[in-house]
């Protein structure tokens, strides 16, 4: 069984809010009564295959396929991805996925009969031979009223589904919301359940997988500024482009593409004794992917469209200049579904030594 650490009321409330969102989304995308998957062409790319190993896989093992479709390669990629601007936003804690065909489930139980691993029927529960044979081979019901499956539903068109936990939220109590025992779902349908996979769930999952270019800004003067003289900040054109990540769930025709669009650079000088240009410290990204204007000779005393003027020397310790790119997040998916997610940021810091103007008295 998984341990739950750090229970907080806020997390429980967040779970209820997200469940309500998914319930609404199910109706909006045509996954209502009966669980029909809705119309629309299947997503491009190969479909996945469940293997026997999925029956004993860890609770956080997902078959969602993630591909970075475009962007993210220029200037190197970050290792941490984006941080959501909204501190209350969370990706889904758990959802249901298809994990085995009838033949694969039978093979898994046959291995179990020969001393193989227990079969995981929920993210936190595994069954031994007696229970698996009783419920999935002999078709006997359970004490909770759940009907059994005769001979693993061999010959039927569909798959057995089970809950999956988001690895980044496995200690969150909301991750216990997907505890239905391994259940059958007809082909071309999704479960009529608040935690059924939907395009917005895949979009939120893809959000966590976005890798954006490092924030490497140009400075003039480079690394050493002078009190009361502006430091120009800019980025060459084409440095930042849209980043698109695709997430698709095999055997369901469900997919979503999440796009991160760079919209602004925020400057934080590292001291209150400084003035940013513009005053908000927010430099908008131009249509060509550039930021600000490159410094030109003779422009030392001019006010840059993007930059910083330090008012006090940094003394023995340099200031820590923080530059963060704000990325606007949107998504589209199966059946024309679309929406927005909270903006994301990625920040880097660098040392800024600031010196006093030296003068000679004669």
């Amino acid at each position: 069984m998984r341990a739950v650490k750090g229970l907080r009321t806020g997390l429980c409330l967040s779970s209820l809010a997200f469940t309500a969102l998914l319930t609404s989304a199910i109706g909006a995308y045509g996954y209502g009564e009966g669980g029909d998957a809705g119309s629309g062409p299947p997503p491009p790319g190969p479909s996945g295959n469940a293997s026997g190993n999925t029956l004993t896989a860890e609770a956080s093992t997902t078959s969602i396929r993630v591909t970075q479709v475009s962007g993210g390669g220029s200037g190197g990629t970050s290792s941490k991805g984006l941080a959501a601007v909204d501190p209350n936003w969370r990706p889904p804690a758990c959802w249901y996925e298809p994990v085995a065909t009838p033949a694969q489930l039978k093979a898994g139980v046959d291995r179990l009969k020969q001393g193989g691993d227990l079969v995981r029927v929920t993210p936190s529960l595994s069954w031994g031979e007696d229970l698996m044979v009783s419920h999935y081979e002999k078709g006997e019901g359970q004490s909770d009223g759940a009907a059994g499956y005769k001979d693993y539903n061999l010959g039927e068109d569909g798959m057995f589904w089970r809950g999956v936990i988001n690895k980044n939220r496995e200690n969150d109590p909301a991750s216990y919301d997907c505890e239905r025992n391994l259940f059958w779902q007809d082909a071309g349908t999704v479960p009529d359940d608040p935690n059924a996979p939907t395009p917005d769930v895949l979009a939120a999952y893809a959000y966590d997988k976005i890798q954006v270019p490092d924030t490497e800004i140009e400075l003039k003067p480079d690394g050493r500024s002078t009190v009361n003289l502006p430091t120009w900040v800019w980025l060459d054109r084409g440095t930042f482009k849209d980043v698109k990540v695709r997430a698709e769930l095999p055997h369901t025709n469900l997919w979503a593409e999440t796009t991160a669009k760079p919209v602004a650079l925020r400057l934080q000088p590292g001291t209150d004794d400084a003035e940013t240009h513009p005053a908000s410290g927010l430099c908008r990204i131009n249509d060509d992917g550039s930021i600000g204007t490159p410094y030109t000779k003779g422009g030392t005393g001019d006010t840059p469209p993007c930059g910083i003027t330090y008012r006090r020397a940094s003394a023995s310790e340099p200031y820590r200049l923080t530059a963060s790119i704000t990325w606007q997040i949107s998504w589209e998916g199966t059946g024309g579904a679309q929406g927005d997610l909270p903006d994301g940021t990625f920040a880097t810091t660098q040392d800024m030594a600031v010196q006093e103007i030296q003068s000679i008295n004669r």
Side-chain angles (χ1 to χ4, degrees):
M1 296 292 288
R2 294 175 292 119
V4 179
K5 302 178 182 178
L7 296 180
R8 295 182 181 176
T9 303
L11 289 174
C12 294
L13 291 175
S14 177
S15 170
L16 290 173
F18 195 83
T19 299
L21 171 64
L22 287 183
T23 303
S24 173
I26 288 171
Y29 303 137
Y31 305 140
E33 201 65 35
D36 293 336
S39 59
S47 61
N49 290 310
S51 68
N53 292 333
T54 63
L55 295 173
T56 56
E58 291 297 318
S60 58
T61 301
T62 177
S63 60
I64 294 176
R65 294 189 170 186
V66 177
T67 307
Q68 185 140 329
V69 178
S70 62
S74 175
T77 55
S78 69
S79 59
K80 295 183 179 179
L82 293 174
V85 172
D86 181 358
N88 296 316
W89 182 82
R90 297 286 186 277
C94 70
W95 56 88
Y96 288 104
E97 292 185 9
V99 295
T101 64
Q104 288 167 338
L105 180 57
K106 182 180 185 302
V109 176
D110 286 344
R111 287 193 295 272
L112 176 60
K113 292 177 180 178
Q114 298 170 11
D117 293 332
L118 300 178
V119 174
R120 189 181 291 274
V121 293
T122 79
S124 63
L125 181 66
S126 295
W127 280 0
E129 178 181 341
D130 289 346
L131 281 173
M132 292 301 298
V133 169
S134 172
H135 190 60
Y136 295 100
E137 183 176 309
K138 296 182 179 179
E140 297 175 1
Q142 297 298 303
S143 59
D144 61 3
Y149 302 95
K150 189 67 174 177
D151 201 18
Y152 308 100
N153 272 14
L154 288 170
E156 299 292 330
D157 189 12
M159 293 188 70
F160 286 93
W161 289 49
R162 185 182 61 208
V164 174
I165 292 172
N166 187 329
K167 187 173 181 62
N168 295 330
R169 296 188 63 186
E170 57 187 358
N171 291 329
D172 188 327
S175 68
Y176 280 90
D177 290 344
C178 300
E179 288 291 314
R180 290 176 60 180
N181 288 344
L182 188 71
F183 63 92
W184 176 259
Q185 193 69 34
D186 290 337
T189 69
V190 295
D192 184 15
D193 188 285
N195 292 298
T198 55
D200 59 331
V201 170
L202 295 179
Y205 184 82
Y207 187 119
D208 268 1
K209 306 301 178 181
I210 292 174
Q211 298 289 298
V212 297
D214 294 330
T215 307
E216 298 179 354
I217 59 176
E218 299 285 342
L219 300 172
K220 189 66 176 184
D222 184 9
R224 179 175 290 276
S225 294
T226 301
V227 170
N228 294 327
L229 290 181
T231 296
W232 290 59
V233 176
W234 75 91
L235 285 166
D236 292 333
R237 69 178 59 190
T239 300
F240 288 99
K241 300 177 181 179
D242 292 1
V243 178
K244 182 177 291 187
V245 173
R246 181 184 181 90
E248 53 188 308
L249 183 59
H251 306 289
T252 66
N253 276 356
L254 290 172
W255 63 274
E257 289 186 345
T258 300
T259 301
K261 178 180 180 180
V263 293
L265 167 70
R266 181 177 293 279
L267 298 175
Q268 296 171 286
T271 174
D272 292 335
D273 295 315
E275 178 184 354
T276 56
H277 312 290
S280 65
L282 205 62
C283 304
R284 292 292 173 184
I285 293 182
N286 303 318
D287 290 340
D288 63 2
S290 65
I291 297 176
T293 302
Y295 171 83
T296 56
K297 188 175 181 180
T300 303
D302 297 340
T303 300
C306 183
I308 302 171
T309 299
Y310 287 96
R311 301 302 184 188
R312 186 185 297 273
S314 56
S316 60
E317 293 292 332
Y319 297 128
R320 295 290 288 168
L321 167 64
T322 300
S324 56
I325 297 292
T326 298
W327 297 79
Q328 191 176 72
I329 313 296
S330 61
W331 64 271
E332 60 181 0
T334 309
Q338 59 184 343
D340 298 315
L341 290 167
D343 289 350
T345 62
F346 181 76
T348 56
T349 59
Q350 63 188 79
D351 289 343
M352 287 295 296
V354 181
Q355 62 188 357
E356 295 279 4
I357 296 177
Q358 300 296 318
S359 61
I360 300 175
N361 294 322
R362 295 183 182 275

